[in-house]
């Protein structure tokens, strides 16, 4: 039998998680294919909130410009109760700061986010293969063999690793027989409708709450005449079909005769699943995004958690392929599964609060924005490691404003951008040892940044010192996913080598 030469990674599913992972792997020079059983890219608005931390990830991956162009700031809520409309600030609007450049949740329909990611992937020379479905998967110690069905028949694909990002009904997860514990309430359903709409102001995210959790909502989709309509169905209600029936259902609930729906672009009946995969890895096959965890829609967490799964996983796969210990891939589940469990709790609580008409359930803050998520206490961020006055290992590395030797202002995030590790030396002793820090020739390389008077960059505005809580000479190792891999205030070389060893070939 003629066995095809294995590629590095096969990704099954081309949604936000799969596409982000593909971008990260391709920019590392890996041989990657992305297949999706759908005939074309997703067409609905479904997951429409991109959180500040995800915007930072998308900037690093090179897709942020299109995402910002395709969306806008969330409008205030307009809570309709009889003849009254109460304005409600769901998202506190914040100005950018030196350490948080994108402080606001971005409103953008999912189909535009998908297109931005696919466009970036194509820039890197990789194209999503739509209309191709995984039908069988087997693996041994060296590779995974996947049968992929398309219009031209069955193709056998050999890959060193396979990642299932194929949604809550994941064929990859089912093929691995991995449990997906949780609940699905079949009586709790929502009809989601994307439709061109008139008779409704576009400066509000309109909601008509009613007792018993009954709800109709309409969120304006930026740069269009469309709204995303959400109709929470009663337990035994059949979803209305067709424009006239949907309009009639909306008017019965809102008591507004002015509202008109014109072109309907997309509809879906959504059941809030609350489930978490028992494992994220089995051998050479891994899960990410909705294949690993599904949430209620409250709080705009699902898409963002999936993208950050990909950001955590991409560099680890590349490092193992370059010769790092295979156990590095086990840290993916150890770091990301607790995050997903926390997000499940957050979104479930918010969803239950909406049913109780609890106003606090409509508030969004730092928990939803995912800037404070940390891997502290995990296998790559031990709880007994050194810390600064503001940061621990495993925390997100903040941005800062630096001054280059030529006098030009530079963002730290611009220096961190790319698939490498970054070592930041603050102070003379740390800078001296940074020059002598050995780093493997294979795998992700190390960028070295020395900060201080007379060096390549200075912190004259002290934004780095304040954000990073620096009191003296410090050597910081930043992982490729923008989290702090090590903090050293003494024994710079010895402790940094020890911290880097499990992450490098």
């Amino acid at each position: 039998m003629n066995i095809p030469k294995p590629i590095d990674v096969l990704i099954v599913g081309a949604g936000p998680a799969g596409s982000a992972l593909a971008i990260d792997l391709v920019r590392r020079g890996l041989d990657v294919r992305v297949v999706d059983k759908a005939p074309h890219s997703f067409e609905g608005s479904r997951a429409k909130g991109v959180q500040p931390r995800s915007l930072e990830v998308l900037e690093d991956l090179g897709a942020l410009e299109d995402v910002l162009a395709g969306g806008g700031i969330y409008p205030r809520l307009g809570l309709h109760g009889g003849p009254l409309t109460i304005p409600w600030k769901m998202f506190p609007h914040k100005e950018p700061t030196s350490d948080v450049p994108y402080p606001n949740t971005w409103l953008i329909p999912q189909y535009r986010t998908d297109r931005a990611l696919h466009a970036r992937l194509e820039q890197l020379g990789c194209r999503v293969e739509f209309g191709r479905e995984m039908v069988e998967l087997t693996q041994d110690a060296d590779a995974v063999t996947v049968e992929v069905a398309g219009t031209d028949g069955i193709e056998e694909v050999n890959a060193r690793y396979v990642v299932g990002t194929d949604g809550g009904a994941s064929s990859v997860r089912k093929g691995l027989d991995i449990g997906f514990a949780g609940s699905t309430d079949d009586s709790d359903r929502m009809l989601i409708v994307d439709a061109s709409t008139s008779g409704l102001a576009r400066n509000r995210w309109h909601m008509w709450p009613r007792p018993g959790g009954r709800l109709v909502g309409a969120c304006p989709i930026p740069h269009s005449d469309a709204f995303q309509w959400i109709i929470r169905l009663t337990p035994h209600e059949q979803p209305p079909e067709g424009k006239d029936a949907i309009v009639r259902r909306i008017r019965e609930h809102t008591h507004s005769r002015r509202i008109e729906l014109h072109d309907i672009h997309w509809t879906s009946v959504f059941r809030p699943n609350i489930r978490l995969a028992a494992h994220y890895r089995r051998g050479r096959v891994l899960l990410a995004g909705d294949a690993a965890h599904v949430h209620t829609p409250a709080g705009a967490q699902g898409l963002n958690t999936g993208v950050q799964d990909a950001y955590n996983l991409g560099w680890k796969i590349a490092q193992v392929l370059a010769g790092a210990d295979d156990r590095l891939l086990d840290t993916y589940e150890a770091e990301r599964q607790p995050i997903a469990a926390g997000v499940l709790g957050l979104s479930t609580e918010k969803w239950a609060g909406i049913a109780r008409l609890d106003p606090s359930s409509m508030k969004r803050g730092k928990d939803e924005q995912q800037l404070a998520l940390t891997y502290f206490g995990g296998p790559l961020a031990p709880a007994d490691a050194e810390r600064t006055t503001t940061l621990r290992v495993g925390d997100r590395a903040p941005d800062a404003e630096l001054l280059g030797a030529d006098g030009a202002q530079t963002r730290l995030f611009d220096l961190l951008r790319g698939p490498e590790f970054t070592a930041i030396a603050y102070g003379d002793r740390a800078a001296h040892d940074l020059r002598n820090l050995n780093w493997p020739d294979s795998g992700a390389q190390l960028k070295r940044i020395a900060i201080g008077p007379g060096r390549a960059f200075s912190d004259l505005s002290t934004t780095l010192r304040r954000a990073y809580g620096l009191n003296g000479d410090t050597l910081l190792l930043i992982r490729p996913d923008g989290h702090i891999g090590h903090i050293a205030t003494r024994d710079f070389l010895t402790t940094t080598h020890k911290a880097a060893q499990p992450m490098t070939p």
Side-chain angles (χ1 to χ4, degrees):
M1 181 178 177
N2 185 23
I3 301 176
K5 178 182 176 182
I7 63 173
D8 291 320
V9 183
L10 173 68
I11 299 171
V12 181
S19 300
L21 177 62
I23 292 168
D24 197 23
L25 294 174
V26 171
R27 70 174 181 165
R28 296 174 188 280
L30 299 187
D31 185 8
V32 177
R33 288 180 65 181
V34 187
V35 298
D36 195 298
K37 68 180 181 180
H40 47 69
S41 60
F42 184 67
E43 295 182 324
S45 64
R46 188 166 55 200
K48 61 185 181 299
V50 179
Q51 301 293 352
R53 178 56 185 157
S54 296
L55 294 174
E56 296 175 356
V57 172
L58 293 171
E59 181 177 44
D60 181 44
L61 297 178
L64 180 64
E65 185 176 347
D66 281 352
V67 168
L68 293 181
I73 295 291
Y74 270 82
R76 286 192 176 193
L77 282 179
L79 294 176
H80 297 268
L84 299 176
T85 301
I86 304 169
W88 184 269
K89 185 181 288 188
M90 187 175 187
F91 296 88
H93 180 77
K94 298 180 180 179
E95 295 299 323
T97 59
S98 58
D99 59 325
V100 181
Y102 308 107
N104 298 301
T105 305
W106 202 244
L107 173 60
I108 176 174
Q110 185 179 329
Y111 68 83
R112 290 186 191 152
T113 301
D114 281 3
R115 289 176 187 172
L117 290 166
H118 295 165
R120 175 58 178 151
L121 188 58
E122 290 184 17
Q123 287 177 358
L124 296 171
C126 182
R127 182 183 293 269
V128 175
E129 301 173 41
F130 287 106
R132 302 186 69 78
E133 181 177 4
M134 188 205 84
V135 293
E136 191 171 346
L137 177 153
T138 58
Q139 62 175 313
D140 57 30
D142 300 314
V144 187
T145 301
V146 181
E147 289 187 1
V148 177
T151 55
D152 52 354
I154 301 289
E155 176 190 8
E156 192 172 272
V157 180
N158 269 22
R160 291 183 173 88
Y161 289 96
V162 170
V163 183
T165 56
D166 50 340
S170 171
S171 297
V172 175
R173 188 191 65 247
K174 292 175 181 177
L176 297 174
D177 196 25
I178 291 177
F180 204 38
S183 63
T184 302
D185 185 353
D186 287 325
S187 67
D188 188 2
R189 297 161 301 141
M190 295 187 301
L191 175 64
I192 305 176
V193 179
D194 291 350
S196 299
T197 302
S198 60
L200 199 59
R202 296 191 59 82
N203 65 345
R204 288 288 185 267
W205 180 351
H206 302 271
M207 284 194 182
W208 293 265
R210 298 290 184 266
R214 293 182 299 130
L215 175 74
V216 167
C219 182
I221 296 174
H223 315 305
S224 75
D225 64 353
F227 281 77
Q228 181 199 71
W229 286 90
I230 298 174
I231 303 169
R232 196 170 188 178
L233 303 170
T234 58
H236 304 293
E237 180 182 3
Q238 291 299 312
E241 296 182 3
K243 183 181 70 174
D244 292 343
I246 293 171
V247 170
R248 188 161 52 249
R249 175 65 169 80
I250 290 171
R251 287 179 173 176
E252 287 173 356
H253 186 100
T254 64
H255 305 297
S256 172
R257 308 293 298 178
R258 299 193 308 272
I259 296 173
E260 290 284 356
L261 271 60
H262 305 287
D263 295 331
I264 292 181
H265 313 300
W266 174 77
T267 65
S268 176
V269 176
F270 179 81
R271 291 172 174 81
N273 289 301
I274 305 165
R275 296 184 179 273
L276 181 64
H279 301 288
Y280 282 19
R281 180 189 184 195
R282 184 153 291 169
R284 291 181 169 270
V285 185
L286 301 104
L287 304 174
D290 285 357
H293 46 79
V294 289
H295 320 257
T296 77
Q301 298 296 288
L303 178 153
N304 296 276
T305 305
V307 166
Q308 290 175 62
D309 286 346
Y311 202 47
N312 181 287
L313 179 59
W315 68 272
K316 294 176 179 178
I317 290 179
Q319 289 294 86
V320 170
L321 286 172
D325 193 310
D326 176 77
R327 288 177 294 182
L328 179 60
L329 287 178
D330 292 332
T331 71
Y332 164 62
E333 177 183 317
E335 290 188 333
R336 292 302 301 170
Q337 194 182 53
I339 298 292
V343 167
L344 281 172
L346 174 67
S347 65
T348 302
E349 181 182 351
K350 294 285 186 182
W351 186 247
I354 291 173
R356 297 191 305 267
L357 301 182
D358 178 1
S360 67
S361 66
M362 299 178 187
K363 285 282 190 181
R364 302 291 181 262
K366 66 177 183 178
D367 289 339
E368 288 82 8
Q369 295 184 332
Q370 302 195 349
L371 291 168
L373 295 181
T374 181
Y375 304 134
F376 176 72
L380 299 178
D384 60 354
E386 284 198 72
R387 62 182 68 190
T388 71
T389 60
T390 60
L391 296 172
R392 307 167 300 180
V393 291
D395 289 351
R396 161 191 170 269
D399 200 1
E401 295 172 355
L402 303 175
L403 205 63
D406 59 357
Q409 187 169 297
T410 302
R411 286 177 56 206
L412 177 60
F413 275 6
D414 289 337
L415 303 178
L416 298 181
R417 189 177 303 140
E420 301 90 357
F421 285 81
T422 305
I424 301 173
Y426 184 85
D428 292 340
R429 289 186 298 112
H432 175 271
D433 282 5
L434 176 58
R435 290 194 298 270
N436 297 314
L437 179 63
N438 292 323
W439 196 262
D441 292 331
S442 58
Q445 292 304 290
L446 180 70
K447 290 190 285 192
R448 303 168 195 250
I449 302 172
I451 298 174
R455 306 204 179 277
F457 298 95
S458 60
D459 184 32
L460 291 181
S461 60
T462 69
T463 60
L464 179 85
R465 181 171 64 82
R466 285 184 280 114
Y468 282 76
L470 305 177
N471 288 328
D473 281 46
T474 307
L475 186 63
L476 299 152
L477 181 65
I478 312 299
R479 300 173 4 171
D481 59 2
H483 285 259
I484 297 173
H486 183 59
I487 298 170
T489 59
R490 54 184 174 81
D491 297 333
F492 301 115
L493 294 181
T494 302
T495 62
T496 303
H497 278 139
K498 182 179 179 181
Q501 189 171 3
M503 299 188 284
T504 54

